[in-house]
Amino acid sequence: QVHVAESGGGSVQAGGSLRLSCTASSSSYSIACMTWFRQTPGKEREGVASIDSDGDTHYADSVRGRFTVSRDNAKNSLYLEMNNLRPDDTAMYYCAAATVAPMMCLLTVPMYGYWGQGTQVTVSS
């Protein structure tokens, strides 16, 4: 079993910054992929940024250049540095973990079996 928990959400004005954190703890498994997703009411959950255990990253087009994902393997921790935030970044942000991965950490929901409860990010104009 893998326990996932996020922290660091909040409210900020457009153009501001926030940093999200996540820990994925397990006594039995190593974590292959750690990824951030986000979701707004009535919409599907979308992948934001992923990182594998070697540090290879992938970003959604909507956040590339503004968001930076990083990972501390020793702590099984995941981070998302969000800069130049926009009102359309407002969402519930979820951390997800996968213990197995094909060739890359995809930004797709079915790949991930372990999820946190989410942390709210609100960006006002």
Side-chain angles (χ1 to χ4, degrees):
Q1 185 71 329
V2 179
H3 179 69
V4 180
E6 310 93 340
S7 62
S11 297
V12 66
Q13 289 190 326
S17 298
L18 281 174
R19 187 176 192 245
L20 305 183
S21 300
C22 168
T23 56
S25 58
S26 174
S27 59
S28 303
Y29 301 103
S30 60
I31 309 300
C33 294
M34 297 186 77
T35 297
W36 290 101
F37 288 81
R38 65 187 182 186
Q39 188 172 23
T40 55
K43 293 188 177 181
E44 293 185 355
R45 194 167 295 189
E46 64 170 349
V48 174
S50 68
I51 185 168
D52 66 15
S53 57
D54 294 326
D56 290 334
T57 58
H58 297 277
Y59 294 93
D61 290 342
S62 59
V63 307
R64 188 175 290 112
R66 300 187 298 121
F67 291 10
T68 302
V69 64
S70 60
R71 175 174 175 171
D72 184 335
N73 288 332
K75 298 179 180 179
N76 272 339
S77 293
L78 176 71
Y79 308 98
L80 186 67
E81 188 74 35
M82 304 185 292
N83 297 315
N84 193 20
L85 282 160
R86 308 185 306 216
D88 61 0
D89 293 317
T90 295
M92 186 71 78
Y93 282 71
Y94 297 90
C95 175
T99 55
V100 292
M103 297 182 65
M104 58 182 284
C105 296
L106 302 173
L107 297 177
T108 55
V109 170
M111 181 173 175
Y112 299 87
Y114 304 98
W115 294 83
Q117 293 300 306
T119 185
Q120 178 69 35
V121 171
T122 302
V123 184
S124 58
S125 58

